[in-house]
Amino acid sequence: MRKIDIFDTTLRDGEQSAGINLNTAEKIEIAKQLERLGVTIIEAGFPASSPGDFEAVNRIAGTVKNSIVTGLARCVQKDIDTTWEALKVAEQPHIHVFLATSPIHMEYKLKKSPDEVVEQAVEAVKYAKKFFPLVQWSAEDGFRSDRDFLVRIITEVIAAGATTINVPDTVGYASPQEYGQLFTFLRENVRGADKVKFSAHCHDDLGMAVANSIAAIQHGADQVECTINGIGERAGNASLEEIGVAMHIRKDIYQVETGLNLKEIKRTSQLVSRLTGVVIQPNKAVVGKNAFAHESGIHQDGVLKHKETYEIISPELIGEEVVPLVLGKHSGRAAFRDRAITMGFDLSDDKLNKAFQEFKKLADRKKEITEEDLMTLLTEQQVSIEDVPLYELKSVQVSYGTENIPTATASVITPEGAVKTLAATGSGSVEAIFNTLEQLVNAKVNILDFRVKSVGKGRDALGEAVINLRYNGFTSTGRDAAQDVLEATAKAYLNAINRHLIQESIRAKQPTEV
Ligand SMILES: [Zn+2]
């Protein structure tokens, strides 16, 4: 069967979407999970765009072994040099250079003639080829580009040494039929087309990203670029999980193999949602909370009599099994460690000890520890960063009554190691906490977005809070989980502040130009 390469860009196109800012530890965690999922290529970031991106791409390239790791670069030497610095440790160094080719982008954005664009693309590919064995070149806004110009420039970059040609629908304008035909046209007209891989990259502005990607596969694309949960610029990118499962369930018509380990889909989707703070819509295909819920009586009756009456995908396929409870209040450290390993965590002794302490605390207060609780708890430890001095919540207490003025008292350990305690009022419990913490961190903080939700089911479920705020002029997203939503809120607030401090420390360490 024909093999289609899955190129995941969750950490680049996904991460650059509104409101997301992952730290390096979180990016590494996602990359390791993508490797487990079996994606062919992981686009880990845009190394020349910021020191934080550089560090993350570099660390991921040194960690991931079974997937190819790539970084995005503009068609300029400085970007290619920086990308090489970040990726030279990789098993198979791969670079993704791009340049816009549509008339509107060339004229208004690049302010370059088509001839100049061809020259710049060719030079960049030749230069990248000096370092990288694998060079992917993208025609940004390729779908809206002149067909003859595309043939010309692609022929030239292949001659210059490109190994993959990506023709994105950057603005999400294509229809499946047109996008598919574009690949047939390029395959037939580009000289050297048989020597390279063709790649599709679709955005979901008209809700057709997955359909367009599949059309490209049917018309000769060898690679599709997508993100977990479809996150990405504006309406997002094509959803990896939807493409992967569609290729599997309808193998009869598509006749392709993706190499994905579909059983890792649910976990990958949950991890990305948790770390980015981007919630998955309940009715989202494949990974939504309701994707396997049969609500109408007739449907439920049918499924009970014979599953396939209304169920085309089994929850087990994507790894959504109900895992029997294995840990409780009396479980020891060894059992806890085993469970963490089974769940795919690879924690240092120190982090494992901390996670175990958290687990014991939780087991005292909560009757059943579910798989989801463990996943939350272990992930929090896995992605925690220890070498930067940060704020830590020591305690929080809230006094609330319908007749009183809500008041919060909080104690924090500051990055300097001092313990500070303050109290403030607010029009509600949450505002009282925000007002108290704002004084404790001694800065102007604006709350842009705030959400709380439960992790899993039941009245004693963990509460998870996500906060998007502006601190010292920077936007940052924080999250945390706790037994109580108010505690989770306070921790999420400090987490957002801490993320900014971590970014600052990376910036201070590496004075790379942006
Ligand atoms: Zn894109």
Side-chain angles (χ1 to χ4, degrees), residues 375-446:
M375 191 67 96
T376 306
L377 203 145
L378 289 162
T379 308
E380 289 302 333
Q381 281 306 323
Q382 185 97 305
V383 300
S384 68
I385 290 184
E386 288 148 343
D387 57 353
V388 182
L390 301 170
Y391 283 102
E392 195 186 320
L393 184 73
K394 214 166 158 270
S395 67
V396 60
Q397 187 186 323
V398 180
S399 149
Y400 175 81
T402 48
E403 306 292 318
N404 310 346
I405 296 170
T407 309
T409 310
S411 275
V412 301
I413 303 170
T414 67
E416 295 77 33
V419 177
K420 273 167 78 177
T421 306
L422 274 173
T425 59
S427 51
S429 302
V430 169
E431 199 199 339
I433 291 175
F434 289 164
N435 290 345
T436 310
L437 294 176
E438 186 176 25
Q439 291 183 44
L440 284 167
V441 301
N442 196 21
K444 178 90 198 107
V445 179
N446 296 316

Side-chain angles (χ1 to χ4, degrees), residues 140-359:
E140 190 193 0
D141 204 16
F143 178 74
R144 291 193 303 172
S145 302
D146 174 75
R147 295 294 177 262
D148 293 332
F149 180 64
L150 270 183
V151 169
R152 177 184 159 203
I153 192 165
I154 293 173
T155 303
E156 299 256 2
V157 293
I158 292 174
T163 50
T164 301
I165 300 296
N166 181 35
V167 192
D169 178 21
T170 305
V171 294
Y173 183 71
S175 72
Q177 200 187 14
E178 292 168 299
Y179 195 59
Q181 280 166 358
L182 173 59
F183 281 81
T184 305
F185 172 79
L186 294 174
R187 276 270 180 226
E188 285 169 358
N189 292 283
V190 168
R191 219 173 330 112
D194 53 323
K195 291 198 270 291
V196 297
K197 277 202 307 186
F198 273 86
S199 176
H201 176 113
C202 300
H203 280 269
D204 211 28
D205 298 71
L206 295 175
M208 292 196 277
V210 169
N212 288 344
S213 305
I214 293 176
I217 291 174
Q218 288 181 296
H219 288 83
D222 312 277
Q223 170 178 296
V224 281
E225 306 193 359
C226 37
T227 60
I228 302 299
N229 301 333
I231 62 170
E233 284 274 12
R234 307 183 308 278
N237 288 59
S239 288
L240 183 149
E241 63 279 0
E242 292 179 22
I243 294 175
V245 169
M247 292 300 106
H248 175 80
I249 297 288
R250 297 310 313 272
K251 210 177 261 173
D252 56 328
I253 49 169
Y254 298 125
Q255 307 268 324
V256 298
E257 202 63 73
T258 60
L260 290 175
N261 178 9
L262 298 178
K263 276 210 177 311
E264 292 291 336
I265 281 187
K266 186 72 186 184
R267 177 172 171 166
T268 316
S269 161
Q270 294 285 316
L271 180 74
V272 169
S273 171
R274 177 167 303 135
L275 297 184
T276 57
V278 178
V279 275
I280 303 165
Q281 77 193 64
N283 58 323
K284 171 92 169 61
V286 182
V287 291
K289 190 167 81 165
N290 296 345
F292 301 104
H294 302 280
E295 204 52 45
S296 101
I298 294 173
H299 288 207
Q300 285 178 345
D301 181 54
V303 170
L304 286 174
K305 285 176 177 149
H306 188 78
K307 267 193 168 183
E308 274 91 70
T309 47
Y310 287 100
E311 200 171 276
I312 61 155
I313 313 168
S314 76
E316 292 78 32
L317 178 77
I318 60 154
E320 186 174 284
E321 289 118 302
V322 181
V323 178
L325 187 72
V326 288
L327 293 179
K329 203 172 164 177
H330 304 290
S331 303
R333 191 184 309 260
F336 181 76
R337 189 168 166 273
D338 283 353
R339 189 75 197 130
I341 293 169
T342 319
M343 287 167 75
F345 286 94
D346 177 20
L347 292 160
S348 66
D349 285 350
D350 188 41
K351 288 192 169 184
L352 194 80
N353 280 342
K354 282 197 184 140
F356 184 66
Q357 282 164 20
E358 291 295 315
F359 162 74

